[in-house]
Structure formats: C-alpha cells, structure tokens
Amino acid sequence: MRSHKVTRGIDRAPHRSLFRAAGFHPEELNRPLVGIVNSANEIVPGHVHLDSIANAVKTGVWIGGGTPIEFSTIGICDGIAMNHTGMHYSLASREIIADSVEVMVEAHCFDALVLITNCDKITPGMMMAAARVGLPAIMVSGGPMLAGEHKGKKIDLSSVFEGVGAVYAGKISEEELEDMAARACPGCGSCAGMFTANSMNCMAEALGIALPGNGTIPAVSADRLLLAKEAGIKVMELLQSGITVDKILLPEAFDNALTVDMALGCSTNTLLHLTALANECGFRLDLNWVNEISSRTPQLCLLSPAGPDRIEDLGKAGGVAAVMKDLMRANLLNSTVVTVTGKTVAENLVDVEVTDRAVIRSLEKPYRPQGGLAVLFGNLAPEGAVVKQGAVSTSMQRFTGSALVFDSEEGAVEAINNGVVTEGSVVIIRYEGPRGGPGMREMLAPTSILAGMGLDEKVALITDGRFSGATRGASIGHVSPEAAAGGLIALVRDGDQIRIDIPQRSLTLAVSEDELHKRRDAWQPPEPKINRGYLKRYALQVSSAGRGAVLSDEINKKR
C-alpha cells in the first residue's frame, strides 16, 4: 500500500503522531487510506449539497474496509461568472483543480480516490488529476438539477439567458423575465440541460470512470446517495483487484466517449476537456478523429438547448447506459473495455433497455444521421473550430455572411443589444482564446440574446473563445490558432465575407492572399486584458484550444 509510506515503520512514528493529532485511531491507519476529494461550496448550485454526497461515499468506503479522508478543491459557477471578468478564471481553474488534487494525493500517499464533483471545469479537472496520479479512482457527480416550469413549459438556465434577449427585443416584459428567473432553477444540481456540466458527467460514465447512472440520476434523488455509497464500496474493490485509472482510460474508452457524445448531442466543451484528458493519458486526441466518429454515429437525443428534453427525461428513458446499449448493438462501441464497476462495458449493459423512444430515438429513426458535434477546418481555422451541429437549424448549415468584428465579448453584446447586428451578419468575437482572453471565456450572453431576439437562425457567431453548452444556433468556437497567437481570425475586418459549410466541415475567410499579407504586416497584438496574478502566468503557458488548452506544449502524439 502506498499509505504505508506514512503509516508504517519506526521512521514513521512522527507521521503517526500527526495522524493521531487529527483524531485518527491506530486501527484506521491499518486500513487503506482513500482520498475523498470534495468540491463542495456555498455558491455553486451544483455543489451546495456535495457534503451529503461525501458522507455517503465515506460510508461506502467504511463498508468496503477503507479509511476515508476528505479534502477539498475550488469550484466556479460558470453561470454566475458569465459575461464579466469572472469568466476569465473559469477554464483556467481546471488546471488549479487538477494540480491541487495531484499535490494532495502525492504529498499524503493515498491508496485510492473518490472524486466528488458536478460542474463545468471541476469534473474534467478531477478526471485529469486521476489520470495523472494513476490510482484506483471513481468519479461521482452530485447529479443534475430538475427542470423548472414557466407557463406550463419546462425551462432551465438557458431559458433565462434567452429571456434577456426577448426583453431587449420587446417580446416579454422585465417582470416576466424575473418570474422566469425565479422558476428556472428549482433546486440544487448541475443545470438541467445537456450543458457542459452534465455533458462531462455523462462523458465520465461513457469513459468508464464513473458508475452507471452518474450522468442522469437527479441531485435530489435518494438514488444519488445510494450511487455515492456504491462508489465508496467499488473503489475498495478496484484497489483490491488492482484496477487503476490507466487501465480504464485507454484510447478505446475515448472512442466510446466520443461516440456517446455524438449520440447525446453534448456541449462543444467536451472536446476541449476530452483532449486535455487524453493528453494526461499520454496520447493526442486528433480532431479529425472526432469527425470520423461523428460521421458514423447518429444523434439519438435532442436535449436542451437543442430540444425540449432535459437530463431528468434522459434518465427516465434509460440514461446514458440505454444510449450505449443501442450503440453497442450497432457495433459502434468497444464493449470489452473495463470500467470502474470491475466489469466490461458489455457486462454493464446486459439488463439495460430504452424505456422511452420519444427521448432516445432508435438508430433507424435518429434526430440526425450524424453526431451532435462537428469540427470545421479552413483558412480561418487551420487547426480546427467546433460547432454543436445538432443545435444548428437546417437553414444555417450552409451560410455566407458579412463579418462584424469585435475584440471582446462585451463589445459584441453591446452591439447586439443596440440593434447593430442584423440578419446576414457573421459576428466575430476574437482575443477571447486561452491566451488572448486570457482564459477562453464562454459566451452564453451573446448567443442567448440573439436567440431571444429570434436571430439565432439568421446570424452566425465565430470566436476563438468558447460557447456555453447552453448555446444553440450557428455558434462556432475554439477557432485555432487564436487571434492572440497570430491566427487568421486576428486579420478579419468588418464586411469580409465568411463562408460556413458545416456538412463539408469548412470555415473560410473569402479574402485574397495578397490582402491578407498586407494585413499581416500591419498587425500588432493588443495588450493583455489581464496582466497580473495567476492569469498572467496562465496566458504565458497555455496551448491552443485545438490541443485542449493545457499548460504544456509537450503533448504526446501516440495517436
């Protein structure tokens, strides 16, 4: 046991003294020490209840014969951080989370881990840490929020953001917007649609690092506590059988996760996080690989913001496991990879069936013949750009428009609110990438306002930043290389023609090479927007979005 380095032998008497000071009985030190990583806090709705999840996990560890020891990480609420300085820190917090878990685990010699998470950057940060330390580990989320209700219809957080645009367009009153705000988020949990938090919790299940049900059991359900106890029990079984994270997070598991991603219609941010996680696992996730998987995987679900169904509906219909069962039957999954249950994917799915074909469509009658995401390439994005094609209307799948260029999200939002952005525009929001932001902000405000105004099928948005998982419409993000790194997006000017062809996976700036050379010669990068503290260091080290926005350029290229 790793923990023997701090609990056994004459030389470790001082260490045992410190454990005693913390209240540990000698018998507890004779058991394996299991780190319980808890990201609970009092500001993130998805995290306010995680202490109860942690207590359930600890019960499971005790049942399994281990000694649970809890420690914490930070966690940012992307919704509260949206559309102001706070969003610069969101993606960047992923690296702090991964580093802090690594530091605690290596410094204190834990034998195994249970990672308690829920929201956007916390979930991938914890999975990255688990891959890095290579111990037996299970991730368990706090579960999704239930949908709200307004005028007899289900609503969620994205509905409120779109309501802002509806107010500016004169479609609803401020009083109605406030009524929506009071009803959209009825309690704890990760926001109710297939946004980034729920996308990543579903990805953890598809990767095999979380138990079946992790992505869809509601936060308020007793089943969520039972799942947490099971996670504590199972991590002890993983320890006893020697199943470590590196035996689970194989390239084949990423194949499975991307396939499930395409079938569910997940957030574009999954590609950013899966790429970063693959890097921790020692191989490169090629974005062309994503398009290959998308081309053969039908989209079986249409969850908010793309459609009316929420995560609770997916759970009732059979959950992620039911989607995986359909995909496995079509030979679209690798069914032999091992998971944290100690069983293979195929063994996990033996008794699983879809219970509602209105929510999970059959392979014969999918929402789309291809997956929910697409990666576009072209002179504007030679290293790739990502779009949630499953949430783009048919009329916008191929689109040519005139560029309206903004060097910040705030400038774009002001222009949209003032009616500057009109039908046929392609809004370019640049210097919002990992380095230029810094921090690659999500931009739910501009996309939601346009949707609320009824312009989401008439206007495209392109950015080197990110779009929230709550975004719908022709919103193309992660443009690489980014403007701050000298990418072509830095040279776009108002009035330039931009050609978008999602079926052909292309994104083109229709400007001559001679003109682009002139613009390149005249280009000067702007001063950093934030040039102090952590974000100053982050901007100096971070890679492009196409590489997962990780803090190292030494990316393994095994694949």
Side-chain angles (χ1 to χ4, degrees):
M1 291 290 176
R2 278 167 45 103
S3 59
H4 292 176
K5 296 178 183 178
V6 294
T7 61
R8 300 286 177 91
I10 296 173
D11 292 341
R12 297 301 182 256
H15 302 63
R16 291 191 293 276
S17 180
L18 291 169
F19 274 108
R20 182 182 179 87
F24 286 94
H25 189 279
E27 180 55 34
E28 291 179 282
L29 302 186
N30 287 330
R31 298 180 173 205
L33 303 185
V34 180
I36 311 298
V37 191
N38 184 4
S39 56
N41 59 51
E42 295 183 346
I43 193 168
V44 183
H47 292 238
V48 294
H49 65 303
L50 292 188
D51 283 340
S52 63
I53 302 293
N55 287 334
V57 169
K58 287 188 277 190
T59 297
V61 171
W62 276 112
I63 291 171
T67 296
I69 303 177
E70 183 180 338
F71 62 90
S72 63
T73 69
I74 62 170
I76 288 175
C77 177
D78 276 26
I80 295 174
M82 196 73 67
N83 196 28
H84 60 87
T85 302
M87 183 48 71
H88 289 285
Y89 292 86
S90 175
L91 178 61
S93 73
R94 185 188 70 184
E95 314 310 311
I96 296 176
I97 292 162
D99 289 350
S100 65
V101 174
E102 175 197 356
V103 167
M104 287 294 288
V105 170
E106 298 296 356
H108 300 108
C109 295
F110 290 106
D111 297 305
L113 293 173
V114 179
L115 306 144
I116 303 169
T117 176
N118 218 17
C119 292
D120 298 52
K121 309 310 165 300
I122 301 92
T123 297
M126 286 195 181
M127 287 197 287
M128 289 164 66
R132 193 179 298 173
V133 300
L135 299 178
I138 294 181
M139 202 206 82
V140 56
S141 80
M145 185 185 293
L146 297 176
E149 186 174 316
H150 176 69
K151 292 186 174 180
K153 295 183 178 180
K154 287 182 179 179
I155 62 171
D156 53 41
L157 183 65
S158 69
S159 310
V160 186
F161 273 97
E162 292 183 12
V164 174
V167 170
Y168 278 109
K171 294 184 176 182
I172 65 172
S173 66
E174 290 186 44
E175 290 74 19
E176 183 171 350
L177 176 64
E178 286 306 309
D179 186 56
M180 292 173 65
R183 299 172 182 273
C185 301
C188 65
S190 47
C191 297
M194 188 54 84
F195 314 143
T196 305
N198 289 324
S199 293
M200 289 309 300
N201 288 329
C202 290
M203 289 298 94
E205 189 174 333
L207 283 164
I209 196 174
L211 295 171
N214 178 76
T216 56
I217 297 173
V220 295
S221 170
D223 286 341
R224 177 58 58 179
L225 293 177
L226 295 176
L227 185 78
K229 289 180 181 179
E230 185 68 15
I233 294 169
K234 285 295 182 184
V235 80
M236 296 306 300
E237 294 178 5
L238 294 179
L239 180 61
Q240 292 159 11
S241 59
I243 300 176
T244 51
V245 167
D246 56 297
K247 296 177 181 177
I248 294 172
L249 295 182
L250 299 171
E252 293 81 1
F254 283 81
D255 277 332
N256 287 349
L258 286 169
T259 301
V260 174
D261 190 335
M262 299 306 156
L264 290 175
C266 291
S267 164
T268 54
N269 289 313
T270 57
L271 297 191
L272 193 70
H273 300 316
L274 289 174
T275 300
L277 180 59
N279 177 59
E280 295 289 352
C281 296
F283 62 93
R284 178 83 176 269
L285 194 156
D286 188 334
L287 293 179
N288 287 295
W289 175 28
V290 175
N291 278 339
E292 290 175 16
I293 292 175
S294 182
S295 69
R296 63 175 182 258
T297 307
Q299 184 173 345
L300 304 181
C301 301
L302 200 66
L303 301 164
S304 175
D309 296 325
R310 267 64 182 187
I311 299 298
E312 62 192 88
D313 301 311
L314 175 62
K316 292 174 184 176
V320 175
V323 174
M324 293 180 72
K325 184 67 170 282
D326 275 356
L327 295 171
M328 187 180 71
R329 283 172 172 157
N331 294 317
L332 293 172
L333 290 185
N334 187 314
S335 62
T336 63
V337 292
V338 71
T339 72
V340 291
T341 63
K343 300 177 181 179
T344 65
V345 168
E347 290 170 331
N348 288 342
L349 301 179
V350 168
D351 297 322
V352 174
E353 295 294 339
V354 175
T355 59
D356 188 348
R357 283 296 180 191
V359 177
I360 303 173
R361 288 196 177 180
S362 67
L363 291 159
E364 294 73 29
K365 296 181 179 180
Y367 283 100
R368 291 176 48 85
Q370 295 184 343
L373 300 182
V375 181
L376 310 185
F377 296 94
N379 67 344
L380 195 55
E383 296 177 10
V386 183
V387 63
K388 193 171 186 176
Q389 65 174 346
V392 181
S393 68
T394 302
S395 63
M396 294 294 290
Q397 292 284 323
R398 289 185 171 93
F399 181 77
T400 298
S402 298
L404 279 176
V405 182
F406 304 94
D407 288 347
S408 70
E409 178 190 7
E410 290 83 355
V413 169
E414 182 180 0
I416 293 168
N417 288 339
N418 291 334
V420 174
V421 177
T422 57
E423 181 177 343
S425 298
V426 177
V427 177
I428 303 289
I429 308 175
R430 63 191 180 191
Y431 297 108
E432 291 288 8
R435 185 192 305 180
M440 201 181 183
R441 289 194 288 178
E442 283 187 347
M443 298 181 208
L444 181 55
T447 58
S448 298
I449 294 169
L450 284 173
M453 291 178 168
L455 290 173
D456 55 304
E457 296 187 8
K458 301 172 183 178
V459 172
L461 290 96
I462 298 173
T463 183
D464 54 6
R466 301 180 294 131
F467 289 114
S468 166
T471 293
R472 60 187 171 96
S475 301
I476 301 167
H478 305 195
V479 170
S480 300
E482 63 175 292
L488 194 64
I489 191 172
L491 307 183
V492 182
R493 294 181 180 175
D494 287 346
D496 287 348
Q497 291 295 291
I498 308 289
R499 296 173 186 154
I500 301 166
D501 193 329
I502 295 174
Q504 293 299 314
R505 306 294 190 254
S506 69
L507 183 62
T508 307
L509 172 63
V511 174
S512 70
E513 286 298 322
D514 287 344
E515 174 62 21
L516 291 177
H517 281 305
K518 292 176 184 177
R519 295 183 190 182
R520 174 75 64 193
D521 290 341
W523 177 72
Q524 292 290 333
E527 290 295 316
K529 296 174 185 175
I530 298 177
N531 198 29
R532 65 183 186 280
Y534 172 60
L535 286 182
K536 180 179 181 178
R537 301 193 303 275
Y538 179 86
L540 291 172
Q541 300 176 65
V542 69
S543 69
S544 71
R547 290 186 160 197
V550 294
L551 293 187
S552 171
D553 287 328
E554 297 302 317
I555 296 180
N556 196 306
K557 297 183 180 180
K558 290 181 182 177
R559 181 159 185 166

